[in-house]
Amino acid sequence: PGFHEPVRSDRPVLILSGPFDPVTPPPFADKVAAQLPHALHVIIPEAHHGTSGLSHQECGTGLIAQFLERGTTDGLDPSCIAAMARPPFVTDAAGFTALLQSGDN
């Protein structure tokens, strides 16, 4: 009977979302987080339904690892998420070479 009711839990939950996700955008995550008092919703500014292609992948994976190790969202610092970005749009060979040499690919 409660299949369509929101899930409620006191368990810690880390929710990651991105504004370019057409399936589960941040407003949907906000609705979920509202039912979970120990949830931390982190919006990755340039993410889609994942983070592939973004720079500084270690930030997202590090945040997830810290959450799993600690078992809580308390004290998690997602500030490095702001550094995760899409690579520049390259229009020529010189720009592509510079991108490869930058290490942000």
Side-chain angles (χ1 to χ4, degrees):
F3 181 79
H4 294 286
E5 296 299 315
V7 172
R8 291 178 171 80
S9 176
D10 287 331
R11 304 282 180 162
V13 177
L14 176 61
I15 303 170
L16 302 175
S17 67
F20 300 116
D21 185 346
V23 180
T24 51
F28 289 10
D30 286 338
K31 288 182 180 183
V32 170
Q35 305 300 317
L36 304 168
H38 300 288
L40 174 62
H41 178 203
V42 177
I43 299 172
I44 302 171
E46 297 194 30
H48 44 85
H49 196 72
T51 60
S52 61
L54 299 182
S55 62
H56 304 290
Q57 290 286 316
E58 70 281 356
C59 175
T61 55
L63 190 63
I64 293 167
Q66 286 179 28
F67 170 68
L68 293 173
E69 288 169 5
R70 295 177 181 188
T72 181
T73 57
D74 295 342
L76 288 181
D77 179 11
S79 61
C80 65
I81 293 293
M84 296 178 74
R86 291 178 283 167
F89 188 75
V90 177
T91 59
D92 59 21
F96 184 68
T97 300
L99 177 63
L100 291 177
Q101 291 173 346
S102 73
D104 285 340
N105 49 24

